[in-house]
Amino acid sequence: MGASRAAGRGDGTQITMTRRQGQGYLFAVGLWCLALAIWWVRVPERWFAVPYSLVLEDEAGQLLSAHIAADEQWRFPRQDSVSPRFVEALITFEDQRFFNHNGVDPVALLRASWQNLRSGTIESGGSTLSMQLARLARGHQPRTVAEKGIEMLWAWHLEARLSKQEIVALYAAHAPFGGNVVGLEAASWRYFQKPPAFLSWAEAACLAVLPNAPGLLHPGRNTTPLQRKRDRLIQRLAAKDQSSIDNLSLVLAEPLPGRPKPLPQQASYLMYHLAKRYPGQNRFTTTLKQGWQTEVEKIGERHQRHLAGQEIHNLSIVVAEVATGAVKAYVGNVPLADGAHQSLVDVARAPRSSGRILKPF
C-alpha cells in the first residue's frame, strides 16, 4: 500500500514536471517568435540608404561621364548583371559554399572558431557573403559576438527575400574597393578604365580580394600583399577549372593596377540637364555615340581657341541623325579654367533674346 502510494506520488510529480517543461517550452517558443517578429520589422526595406554617382552612358552602354556622389564616394547605381569572372573569383575567395547555404555556413563558423581558439587571436570570422553584405548594410558596426549574431539574422533575412544573384549584385555595388571607390563598376573604371564585363581573370581576381582589406591592399600602395592574395586566388581558380584559364603563367604576369584613374567627362552638360529633369534618377542611357562625341568635342575645343581671338568664348554643337532625330553628339559648351566667361552654362539649351538671334546677320 505504502509502495503503491509512493509510486502514485512519483507519477504525479512526473506528470507535473512534464507539464511545467511543456509550459516552459511554449514560453521559450513564444519569446523566440516575438523576437523573430521584432527582428523582421527592424530589418530595413531598403538595404542601403546612400547617395549614388551620376552616370551617363552612350547608346551601347559605354560610360561617357560620371559625377561623384553627395558623400564624396564614387558609387555607381546598382546593375542587375555582374561580371561572371568577378562572381567566380569572389565566391572562390570569400564563400565557396555560397550557393548551398541559407545565409550562414556552420562549417565555416566552426572552422573559424577553431582557428581563433588555436591561435588566441581573430584570424577568421567565418562570415558568408550574405553576412558580409549585412555588415556593409549596417555600416561596419564594431566586431562583437552580439553583432555577429545580428549579422546572421540579417543574412537569413536577405536569403529569404532575395535571390543569390540579387545578393551578389547588391554586394558588388556596395563593397569598398579602396579610398573613395565603392562598388565593382566604379572600381573597374577607376582601376582598369573598362566596364566590368571586359575584366580579365587577373583583373577580376584583383578586385575580388580588395574588399577583404581595402585599406591594406589599396592599389598603388602595399602592392606585395595584394599581389600575393591575387596570385593565390588565380591559382585556386585555375585548379578549380583549368579550362577557364588557358595560360596560368600569362595571367599571373599581368601587372597590378596603379592609383585610381580619372573617369571620363564627356557630354557632362547633358548629364547635368538630365539629372535636373529627372530627379532621383542616377543612370542615364542616351542615343549618343561615344566615337562621335569624342570627335565633336575636339572640333569644339579647336573652334573655341580660334574664336577666342574675336572675344567669342562660348559655343555649342548638337549633332542629330536626320532620319530619326536622335542626338548623336552633344556639346553644351567648352569649359574654361575656373568657369571663365560663363563657360559652365549649357548654351545649347540657354534661352536667347530676339536681338541675339539676329546678331549673326
Side-chain angles (χ1 to χ4, degrees):
M1 290 287 291
S4 178
R5 283 195 299 271
R9 284 196 302 271
D11 290 346
T13 303
Q14 186 176 4
I15 291 170
T16 302
M17 288 180 65
T18 303
R19 285 175 179 169
R20 287 178 179 173
Q21 288 173 348
Q23 290 171 353
Y25 177 77
L26 289 174
F27 181 73
V29 170
L31 280 179
W32 173 249
C33 290
L34 178 62
L36 189 64
I38 293 172
W39 159 71
W40 193 269
V41 172
R42 284 176 60 86
V43 172
E45 193 69 29
R46 182 183 176 190
W47 297 102
F48 292 91
V50 293
Y52 295 95
S53 302
L54 292 176
V55 176
L56 186 75
E57 300 173 336
D58 76 349
E59 60 183 5
Q62 188 74 4
L63 181 65
L64 288 172
S65 191
H67 183 76
I68 199 165
D71 60 354
E72 300 298 317
Q73 303 293 307
W74 286 108
R75 184 190 297 106
F76 284 17
R78 178 169 72 91
Q79 290 186 312
D80 294 331
S81 61
V82 184
S83 162
R85 287 183 174 178
F86 175 78
V87 173
E88 185 67 27
L90 178 68
I91 299 304
T92 302
F93 183 72
E94 291 286 1
D95 189 357
Q96 295 188 60
R97 282 181 288 276
F98 173 70
F99 291 103
N100 299 316
H101 62 64
N102 64 347
V104 177
D105 188 352
V107 175
L109 286 174
L110 288 172
R111 184 181 64 246
S113 300
W114 169 248
Q115 289 175 347
N116 297 338
L117 285 171
R118 187 176 58 183
S119 65
T121 60
I122 298 178
E123 289 186 354
S124 175
S127 295
T128 63
L129 198 63
S130 302
M131 291 172 66
Q132 292 181 44
L133 178 57
R135 179 170 172 76
L136 288 174
R138 287 181 55 77
H140 294 284
Q141 299 294 323
R143 293 182 181 274
T144 62
V145 175
E147 181 60 29
K148 180 70 72 174
I150 294 173
E151 290 172 10
M152 291 168 65
L153 290 174
W154 278 43
W156 280 324
H157 189 85
L158 275 163
E159 294 275 347
R161 296 269 298 274
L162 305 175
S163 68
K164 293 288 187 179
Q165 290 73 19
E166 288 173 322
I167 290 173
V168 171
L170 205 56
Y171 176 88
H174 297 90
F177 286 87
N180 65 343
V181 181
V182 178
L184 172 64
E185 190 179 5
S188 184
W189 279 105
R190 290 282 275 163
Y191 293 128
F192 300 109
Q193 295 187 307
K194 64 173 71 172
F198 294 101
L199 290 172
S200 68
W201 276 112
E203 293 165 346
C206 179
L207 293 181
V209 304
L210 267 181
N212 186 256
L216 298 176
L217 304 177
H218 196 287
R221 306 194 306 265
N222 302 328
T223 56
T224 301
L226 177 58
Q227 180 96 42
R228 281 200 297 263
K229 280 181 176 287
R230 186 204 71 167
D231 291 354
R232 278 201 299 267
L233 177 56
I234 291 172
Q235 290 167 348
R236 287 171 61 187
L237 287 166
K240 187 176 178 181
D241 185 5
Q242 294 182 352
S243 62
S244 62
I245 299 179
D246 298 328
N247 194 319
L248 180 59
S249 59
L250 286 179
V251 176
L252 291 171
E254 284 192 35
L256 292 173
R259 294 183 179 276
K261 302 172 180 64
L263 292 173
Q265 295 298 319
Q266 294 182 293
S268 56
Y269 292 91
L270 178 60
M271 179 179 67
Y272 294 129
H273 164 73
L274 293 173
K276 288 182 179 179
R277 185 173 180 180
Y278 303 101
Q281 187 172 335
N282 293 82
R283 186 185 296 273
F284 305 98
T285 300
T286 66
T287 59
L288 301 183
K289 297 186 71 166
Q290 188 191 41
W292 291 26
Q293 183 68 29
T294 301
E295 290 302 315
V296 171
E297 285 186 1
K298 289 179 181 178
I299 292 171
E301 291 171 1
R302 190 162 60 246
H303 276 270
Q304 193 279 330
R305 289 194 297 269
H306 173 71
L307 294 172
Q310 305 173 45
E311 293 299 319
I312 300 174
H313 302 285
N314 303 110
L315 63 83
S316 64
I317 307 172
V318 177
V319 179
E321 194 172 52
V322 174
T324 64
V327 176
K328 295 299 179 180
Y330 186 100
V331 176
N333 208 334
V334 178
L336 303 175
D338 301 321
H341 301 290
Q342 297 183 320
S343 62
L344 299 181
V345 175
D346 183 354
V347 296
R349 294 182 178 275
R352 289 159 174 78
S353 66
S354 55
R356 288 184 178 273
I357 294 172
L358 296 172
K359 241 183 180 181
F361 303 99

